[in-house]
Amino acid sequence: MESTWHRDSAVGRLTMTLPIAVIALMIPVGLFLEELPRAIRFAPFVVSVGLFGLPHGAVDHLMPVRLSDASLKRSLAVVSVVYAILGGLYLAVWAVSPAVALVAFIGMTWFHWGQGDVFALRAFGEADHIRTRSDRWASLIVRGGLPMLVPLLGQPEGYQRVVNGIIELFDPTATAALAPLFRLDTRLALGVGFGVFTLSSLLWTARHVWKSDISAVGITWDAVEIGVLWVFFWLVPPVFAVGLYFAVWHAVRHIGRLAIVDPESRDALDAGEWPTALWRFYRDATPLTIASLALFAGLYVWVPTDGSLNALLAIYLVGIAVLTLPHVAVVTWMDRQQYGEAYY
């Protein structure tokens, strides 16, 4: 099965240019966003519930069918077991040690959002400069660190409010464990280290351009995206920035990937029949999206809150965390199916 859409195609252009266009346009908003009502700052996460964010992972149960010879029954059974075991164990960690669970959530999201961008660069763009396992790991670390680390560096107070709000759902005293993360000296060390690694990774992958006769378009596009995301996450308050990135960057690119492995959606998009492809996606994603909402409702009943926007966001993020671990397992399996055992 063909596993790429060139960026010059309609789907490639949408998948690669729509996210960066939206993110770039929102950078000036970050300068005055704190003066707007909190509902506006929380809007991307609210929209993500039904638009792209939450549904983008709700098609995992069909991936074994579309990427292997598994039957629908076996696909449903295997993915259900993966979600039940990994999600259940991770939920237990939240109850026992929320600080550890939160650090794990940041780490797995760092990895997952990095792997999503590495795949998108290869599948929808021109990523001749990302050839080897070391290239992929370097790109993954940078791409995942942009939404997970840069907000801590540029917007530490907002980042700490979100972190503390999540941990306090389970144990208000556990917030002290992560307090050193927000000290100035810690953030300076992380900022310098990550900045150096960002530049080094671009230079490392650029060696393919210098040593062989390949176009510099891919490395240029890579550098532009990284630069825009650095500025965006530095300036824009974390709740709005991460929520918007989740909905219009990561989720949109993963939905493009889902279309690649669904022959009918791919044919529809190649023919310019966007409504057909979108209908197929939402049809496939609706059952598990509803099931996910039931999980959030259960968390709301289980964990006492004051019903504020901050508390509701914290509940939503814990639910997303519980779903993220098995989703990462499925997507990692997809990477290996589509690009081989040596992908990482």
Side-chain angles (χ1 to χ4, degrees):
M1 179 186 298
E2 177 64 32
S3 61
T4 62
W5 257 312
H6 195 273
R7 191 164 61 237
D8 289 342
S9 70
V11 176
R13 285 196 300 272
L14 178 67
T15 307
M16 296 303 289
T17 60
L18 175 63
I20 193 173
V22 173
I23 293 299
L25 288 172
M26 288 296 106
I27 289 175
V29 176
L31 300 177
F32 60 86
L33 192 62
E34 291 287 0
E35 302 173 8
L36 300 177
R38 283 195 305 163
I40 294 178
R41 282 175 270 155
F42 283 68
F45 274 112
V46 175
V47 172
S48 75
V49 174
L51 186 57
F52 296 134
L54 185 60
H56 92 276
V59 192
D60 284 353
H61 61 295
L62 297 177
M63 291 305 98
V65 174
R66 293 174 178 171
L67 287 172
S68 70
D69 58 358
S71 65
L72 178 59
K73 183 177 180 179
R74 182 181 178 187
S75 181
L76 289 170
V78 170
V79 174
S80 296
V81 169
V82 169
Y83 265 78
I85 293 177
L86 294 183
L89 290 174
Y90 188 35
L91 186 58
V93 176
W94 279 102
V96 174
S97 181
V100 171
L102 182 67
V103 171
F105 181 34
I106 293 172
M108 78 172 77
T109 305
W110 188 319
F111 171 80
H112 177 54
W113 284 1
Q115 78 177 154
D117 255 17
V118 170
F119 183 91
L121 287 169
R122 183 168 181 176
F124 305 121
E126 296 177 25
D128 289 340
H129 64 296
I130 301 177
R131 293 183 170 187
T132 68
R133 183 178 294 182
S134 64
D135 297 337
R136 290 190 289 273
W137 273 110
S139 184
L140 183 154
I141 291 169
V142 170
R143 290 307 188 110
L146 292 168
M148 289 293 100
L149 180 58
V150 175
L152 170 65
L153 306 176
Q155 305 277 333
E157 294 84 3
Y159 200 103
Q160 189 169 23
R161 280 196 300 271
V162 175
V163 165
N164 289 348
I166 297 173
I167 294 176
E168 287 170 355
L169 290 174
F170 302 91
D171 181 5
T173 65
T175 58
L178 297 184
L181 187 64
F182 300 96
R183 292 192 331 225
L184 179 59
D185 58 341
T186 304
R187 290 187 287 109
L188 281 174
L190 289 171
V192 171
F194 189 64
V196 169
F197 189 87
T198 299
L199 293 175
S200 299
S201 72
L202 287 171
L203 291 173
W204 175 250
T205 54
R207 74 191 189 282
H208 298 299
V209 178
W210 301 330
K211 293 182 177 180
S212 58
D213 189 25
I214 64 172
S215 170
V217 171
I219 186 68
T220 302
W221 180 267
D222 195 0
V224 167
E225 284 196 345
I226 289 172
V228 169
L229 289 172
W230 254 100
V231 174
F232 174 72
F233 285 114
W234 188 278
L235 294 179
V236 180
V239 170
F240 185 87
V242 175
L244 188 67
Y245 177 92
F246 175 50
V248 305
W249 188 294
H250 173 71
V252 165
R253 289 185 168 185
H254 187 73
I255 291 169
R257 179 175 189 172
L258 297 177
I260 283 178
V261 299
D262 177 15
E264 293 187 39
S265 291
R266 184 183 178 91
D267 290 344
L269 290 171
D270 284 338
E273 298 172 359
W274 298 86
T276 300
L278 284 173
W279 178 84
R280 286 185 60 82
F281 165 70
Y282 282 110
R283 180 204 65 186
D284 293 341
T286 294
L288 290 190
T289 300
I290 294 173
S292 300
L293 294 175
L295 168 66
F296 299 149
L299 286 171
Y300 182 78
V301 172
W302 176 41
V303 182
T305 70
D306 58 8
S308 65
L309 281 176
N310 287 329
L312 293 176
L313 175 64
I315 289 287
Y316 180 62
L317 290 175
V318 172
I320 289 292
V322 171
L323 296 171
T324 294
L325 180 56
H327 176 59
V328 170
V330 172
V331 174
T332 302
W333 175 84
M334 291 174 64
D335 286 343
R336 291 180 178 275
Q337 287 294 111
Q338 291 181 274
Y339 282 134
E341 292 295 322
Y343 193 66
Y344 295 120

